[in-house]
Amino acid sequence: MFIKYDNDAVRLTGRWYKDSSAAVATACGAKLEFSFYGKMAVMHFDTAFSEHPYPHIWIQIDSGARTEATVEKYMRVFAEENGVHTVTVIYKSAVEMQHRWHEPLVGKIAFKGFEADKPGKLKSSKKKYIEFIGDSITEGVLIDEKYRVNSDDDMMNRTFQDDATATYAYLTAQALKLEPLIMGYGAVGLTKSGCGSVPRVCEAYEYCFNDCRTDMPEPDYIVINHGANDMHSDKEEYLSRYSEFLNMVYEKHPAAAVFVLGAFCGWCRNELEDFVTNYNAENKRNVVYINTEGWVPPEPFHPNREGHKMAAKKLIDFLSPYVKGVIL
């Protein structure tokens, strides 16, 4: 039987938009889970308008190892034993330059549902949510830079080189036993639009793509990492846009604890710290500034796996008392 994506046997976590036929995600790091009875399930994806290289996903059955795969229209998962099984799928990587904002969407995953003997029942999750808002570094671009399949066009290698689950953001969420909600798009900033026609973050934040609002759980913690793509803008404009964005975040999530990361590259670090102090005083807020000086080596600009691990360790140490309730 076919079980549609909106069945109780399916759970979507992250930035998804649900239309009549499929749940659509354009931000890497989005996750779907489903439970089924039997030995085999067949996942259905809408690949209309998709172009090679198709997005890559991680697939995990029960508590087994994750396997990387390319999204195809039909994808089978097989368990050795009959019974109830849980499948976890994470949007691992995309091609930055493929359109991920205006329809027809080229860079997306669109989950329609799955076939199985019958739907199972997912275990409830009691994890709190942490949202990370950033750019290509938060998306996981060039984490595995050396893995190329096309030497003539580096952009077409990105599905093999990127991994949203190996970033400082995802690793931090895992270590703190929080559920990550990832918004990372290459080249996007507070002052500028980015790859794939994604608009600047203030215009994109409430949406999954175009004018389609994202359906996302309420975050308990929000970490913002923007600045690396704003280096060529005026600092006053950057800080003004930061104020605009913080106002938007608080309007949408008034109870969330908000953290501002200084850009790993160091641009505007001191000015941003002073801005946060003034913003809190003027708006009676408690935004926490995090100085990231020395967290990662200056090269490569996009940290590799080890660089992300280094940044995650620092961020885990910083956030741990907040998450444990010592300060908040």
Side-chain angles (χ1 to χ4, degrees), residues 133-135 187-194 199-203 205 224-231 233-235 237-246 248-249 260-261 267 272 275:
I133 305 164
D135 47 37
V188 167
L190 287 158
T191 62
K192 65 182 292 293
S193 59
R200 66 184 183 88
V201 65
C202 291
E203 297 172 357
Y205 181 58
I224 305 170
N225 184 3
H226 270 293
N229 291 321
D230 299 292
M231 286 191 293
S233 67
D234 179 79
K235 288 184 178 180
E237 180 190 1
Y238 168 68
L239 297 176
S240 175
R241 294 297 191 188
Y242 226 125
S243 181
E244 175 190 8
F245 186 53
L246 285 174
M248 179 182 295
V249 166
V260 164
L261 276 179
W267 182 75
L272 183 57
F275 159 79

Side-chain angles (χ1 to χ4, degrees), residues 253-284:
H253 308 295
V258 179
F259 301 84
V260 164
L261 276 179
F264 293 145
C265 65
W267 182 75
C268 207
R269 181 179 286 136
N270 295 331
E271 294 89 341
L272 183 57
E273 184 172 11
D274 292 341
F275 159 79
V276 169
T277 299
N278 294 331
Y279 179 88
N280 286 336
E282 293 172 4
N283 296 277
K284 295 182 172 57

Side-chain angles (χ1 to χ4, degrees), residues 83-129:
V84 186
H85 301 284
T86 299
V87 177
T88 302
V89 176
I90 304 172
Y91 188 1
K92 172 189 174 284
S93 53
V95 175
E96 285 182 275
M97 297 305 293
Q98 290 180 345
H99 280 282
R100 290 191 279 171
W101 206 257
H102 299 297
E103 297 173 278
L105 297 172
V106 177
K108 70 177 189 306
I109 60 171
F111 179 64
K112 301 174 74 172
F114 66 97
E115 289 178 70
D117 291 345
K118 62 178 180 177
K121 184 177 181 180
L122 288 169
K123 294 181 180 178
S124 61
S125 174
K126 297 181 180 179
K127 288 184 178 180
K128 292 185 175 182
Y129 295 94

Side-chain angles (χ1 to χ4, degrees), residues 5-7 10-20 22-27 29-32 101 129 131 179-183 185 204-219 252-253:
Y5 78 87
D6 57 1
N7 188 278
V10 179
R11 179 164 55 227
L12 303 169
T13 306
R15 301 181 66 84
W16 293 91
Y17 173 73
K18 302 170 185 175
D19 64 21
S20 60
V24 180
T26 65
K31 181 172 76 171
L32 69 92
W101 206 257
Y129 295 94
E131 181 180 27
E179 194 68 63
L181 308 170
I182 306 295
M183 181 186 185
Y185 291 103
Y205 181 58
E206 296 188 45
Y207 303 95
C208 182
F209 57 89
N210 202 13
D211 59 353
C212 297
R213 294 185 181 276
T214 184
D215 185 349
M216 188 181 75
E218 184 71 19
K252 188 172 179 61
H253 308 295

